[in-house]
Amino acid sequence: TTTTTTTTTTTTTTTTTTTTTTTTTTTTTTTTTTTTTTTTTTTTITTTESEPCGTDNACQENGYCFLNEVLFLDTGEVQTDCLCKLGYYPVLGINPENDIYPKTGTCVDLQKVDACQYPDICHETTDHWGVCPYCRAFKHTDEFGGELDLGDYVSGTGFGTDPMVFNNGDSVNCGNGNPRSSDAYWYCWYDSILGTDPVPLDSI
């Protein structure tokens, strides 16, 4: 008897798959270069001392060069000033060139503006009669409210035979009950001092 033994060998093959994940990290470096340019500006200011006026040409339009005689008589100091002619008033800030010494501001024609905005133009006598050229006339008094309105400016230059005319003043205590009116003129004069020579009327 023949016995045949058959051995069956089963081979199990195990396949292991290894997956390798490669992570690539890319680092981007941005370099910003800032260039700062500094500009240094050097300003040199040269200050020139202005001289007093010597002639009318050194003064603003409608301004004239006058000797300050009051200062000269009191101190002996000679000083000249640019002054606006009668009927004009110096105003700063209109034209910067006219604000530089010896100029004293732009000479404004008081007949062409509201002259009442410049109270410095007013004149008053020792007995309290007053006039603000091209604006109003008045009289200070202890009665009638402290001041009588003698009229508001309506026309005229005040030179020669053309008076400054002021109308529609107060009627209080006026005999006929009508509003007061006034006329005003410019006058120039010279008070002579012994030992001095007379000067033109356009000198101060």
Side-chain angles (χ1 to χ4, degrees):
T1 303
T2 302
T3 305
T4 303
T5 304
T6 304
T7 303
T8 303
T9 303
T10 303
T11 303
T12 304
T13 303
T14 303
T15 303
T16 303
T17 303
T18 303
T19 303
T20 303
T21 302
T22 302
T23 303
T24 302
T25 303
T26 302
T27 303
T28 302
T29 303
T30 302
T31 303
T32 303
T33 303
T34 302
T35 302
T36 302
T37 302
T38 303
T39 303
T40 303
T41 302
T42 303
T43 303
T44 302
I45 300 175
T46 302
T47 303
T48 303
E49 185 176 350
S50 298
E51 296 292 332
C53 61
T55 66
D56 294 339
N57 292 333
C59 297
Q60 64 271 34
E61 184 178 2
N62 294 309
Y64 299 94
C65 185
F66 292 96
L67 170 67
N68 187 334
E69 288 194 16
V70 174
L71 179 66
F72 177 72
L73 291 173
D74 289 343
T75 67
E77 180 182 349
V78 176
Q79 176 180 305
T80 54
D81 300 303
C82 287
L83 301 178
C84 295
K85 67 182 182 181
L86 290 178
Y88 288 75
Y89 183 77
V91 179
L92 297 174
I94 295 178
N95 182 346
E97 290 185 2
N98 289 336
D99 299 343
I100 301 173
Y101 183 81
K103 297 178 181 179
T104 52
T106 300
C107 294
V108 173
D109 187 345
L110 293 174
Q111 294 183 76
K112 296 180 179 179
V113 297
D114 176 15
C116 295
Q117 65 183 306
Y118 306 119
D120 290 346
I121 66 175
C122 298
H123 304 274
E124 187 173 340
T125 65
T126 55
D127 51 355
H128 307 303
W129 294 92
V131 61
C132 302
Y134 314 105
C135 172
R136 68 188 185 99
F138 58 92
K139 171 69 166 71
H140 283 297
T141 175
D142 293 334
E143 302 174 348
F144 316 122
E147 181 178 288
L148 280 176
D149 182 357
L150 303 182
D152 295 325
Y153 173 74
V154 293
S155 65
T157 63
F159 295 105
T161 58
D162 182 28
M164 282 182 270
V165 178
F166 303 87
N167 285 342
N168 298 317
D170 289 330
S171 60
V172 61
N173 203 42
C174 217
N176 54 13
N178 291 331
R180 285 178 169 82
S181 62
S182 308
D183 291 347
Y185 297 86
W186 291 109
Y187 286 101
C188 296
W189 69 93
Y190 177 75
D191 293 329
S192 179
I193 302 176
L194 294 177
T196 62
D197 295 328
V199 297
L201 288 177
D202 61 356
S203 298
I204 293 180

